[in-house]
Amino acid sequence: MNFELNEEQQQIKYSVREFAESEIRPHVMEWDESQHFPEELRPKLAGLGLLGVLFPEQYGGAGMGYVEYATIIEEIGRIDGSVGLSVAAHNSLCSNHIYSFGTEEQKQKYLVPLASGESFGAWGLTESQAGSDASGTRTYATPSNGGWKVNGSKNFITHAIVCNTLVAMAVTDKEKGSHGISAFIFDKSMDGFRSDKKENKLGMRASETASVVFEDCYVPDENRLGNLGEGFLQAMQVLDGGRISIAALSVGIAQGAYEAAIKYAKERQQFGKPIAEFQAIQFKLADMATQIEAARLLTRQAAALKDAGKKTTRESAMAKLFASEVAVRVAEESVQIHGGYGYTKDYPAEKYWRDSKLCTIGEGTSEIQRIVIAKQLLKA
């Protein structure tokens, strides 16, 4: 089993690292403080193929696999979790849903501009009463003039305001429970489709999160993804891949927090020597590095299995669960190593800590991941 990136993957890793260092790092705190979504990065991200990582060139994508994708998200997350989250949501959720379940016509109309970076994508599953229980969806689609009238809302949607295209789930047959949920492609220009409240978040503040509202929004049937009643099952499959990206994002945030702690520990003097020379600090750093490497390997395993065309429900959930909780622990230890300075915005530790927590919540909480893993284990 080869755990090393090949030469091409290494080149991707370092080109993305160079981009993140030069184009993102100088603006991290500015964007965080102002909650500015850096849409000006879009052409630069697109130029590197980062908005269509997983999709074939015929659809405007870069034609890479999940190992490359996880590497890219990790490198961006190492600098700024917000940008990493936005790139992940655009690729894994909206674009990937269309790629995985869309018709050729839908791919040409919607996936090509998404993958080429001409537009941003959003994905809507969560509602105010349907979070961990996504089957509790209350957005309804009723037949109308050969299409559908959609009413309802979605919460905590990345790119809800800047998106051009949204994939969202709606109930088409309430008698069938989760098997009565269907998926639709929405265009921002559709009447009755609007963005609503933007969230004022603890972390990931430069990644735009808001609600969307549907008020008698007419969607032609040609915008339905797959068969009626397949939306929930589609969403669960999309999340299998999405959780790999959140695991990779978690690893990146943890790596950034760890590197900040190493740097500070070598510079900070106490009792006449750098605090890195104290065993208490060395033990913290050793534990941080070990946990990060374990999280990275779990993530890379899930990505490699995905590239091999295998089902990754268990492996994706394990990677996401472990890596996200590692990110929180490592970021917290980074704050602790920084001491009082770790609690100020003069050092990066506090932002890594704030950003890390979302990874244990988004795309299925840690508790949901444990349920998913247990169900897979008990099937054996």
Side-chain angles (χ1 to χ4, degrees), residues 140-212:
Y140 285 90
T142 55
S144 176
N145 298 323
W148 304 85
K149 279 282 181 71
V150 181
N151 285 279
S153 63
K154 298 291 180 181
N155 291 14
F156 304 132
I157 308 304
T158 303
H159 302 155
I161 298 172
V162 299
C163 73
N164 308 92
T165 302
L166 167 77
V167 173
M169 274 40 76
V171 175
T172 49
D173 188 341
K174 64 181 179 181
E175 301 301 322
K176 294 184 177 179
S178 62
H179 294 287
I181 296 173
S182 303
F184 298 90
I185 303 172
F186 294 85
D187 190 295
K188 197 63 177 286
S189 63
M190 291 175 173
D191 291 337
F193 172 31
R194 64 179 173 84
S195 305
D196 203 34
K197 177 191 174 187
K198 180 179 177 180
E199 303 296 342
N200 184 10
K201 298 181 297 182
L202 169 72
M204 305 284 198
R205 290 167 61 83
S207 178
E208 175 194 280
T209 303
S211 301
V212 295

Side-chain angles (χ1 to χ4, degrees), residues 255-270:
Q255 183 68 33
Y258 164 75
E259 290 176 7
I262 283 273
K263 182 175 184 293
Y264 183 81
K266 289 179 177 179
E267 295 173 351
R268 175 66 167 168
Q269 296 271 336
Q270 289 290 278

Side-chain angles (χ1 to χ4, degrees), residues 268-287:
R268 175 66 167 168
Q269 296 271 336
Q270 289 290 278
F271 305 103
K273 58 184 178 181
I275 63 171
E277 294 185 19
F278 293 105
Q279 192 177 68
I281 301 298
Q282 292 174 356
F283 279 9
K284 288 181 183 295
L285 294 172
D287 286 344

Side-chain angles (χ1 to χ4, degrees), residues 53-180:
V53 179
L54 298 169
F55 314 114
E57 293 180 10
Q58 70 188 88
Y59 299 123
M64 300 184 207
Y66 270 84
V67 172
E68 291 83 1
Y69 179 44
T71 302
I72 288 166
I73 297 300
E74 178 184 336
E75 285 301 318
I76 298 174
R78 171 179 166 267
I79 303 300
D80 188 2
S82 294
V83 178
L85 178 63
S86 286
V87 173
H90 174 87
N91 277 278
S92 295
L93 302 180
C94 176
S95 302
N96 197 40
H97 198 142
I98 296 171
Y99 176 63
S100 299
F101 301 103
T103 64
E104 184 61 28
E105 291 74 19
Q106 289 170 338
K107 291 175 185 177
Q108 291 295 334
K109 183 175 181 180
Y110 294 105
L111 180 59
V112 169
L114 287 166
S116 63
E118 294 176 29
S119 63
F120 269 125
W123 193 74
L125 179 62
T126 302
E127 300 182 4
S128 59
Q129 299 299 318
S132 293
D133 179 17
S135 64
T137 298
R138 295 184 181 179
T139 294
Y140 285 90
T142 55
S144 176
N145 298 323
W148 304 85
K149 279 282 181 71
V150 181
N151 285 279
S153 63
K154 298 291 180 181
N155 291 14
F156 304 132
I157 308 304
T158 303
H159 302 155
I161 298 172
V162 299
C163 73
N164 308 92
T165 302
L166 167 77
V167 173
M169 274 40 76
V171 175
T172 49
D173 188 341
K174 64 181 179 181
E175 301 301 322
K176 294 184 177 179
S178 62
H179 294 287

Side-chain angles (χ1 to χ4, degrees), residues 7-19:
E7 185 177 347
E8 183 179 350
Q9 291 164 342
Q10 288 281 6
Q11 289 176 348
I12 292 168
K13 174 186 175 77
Y14 289 116
S15 66
V16 174
R17 175 170 292 196
E18 182 180 354
F19 169 79

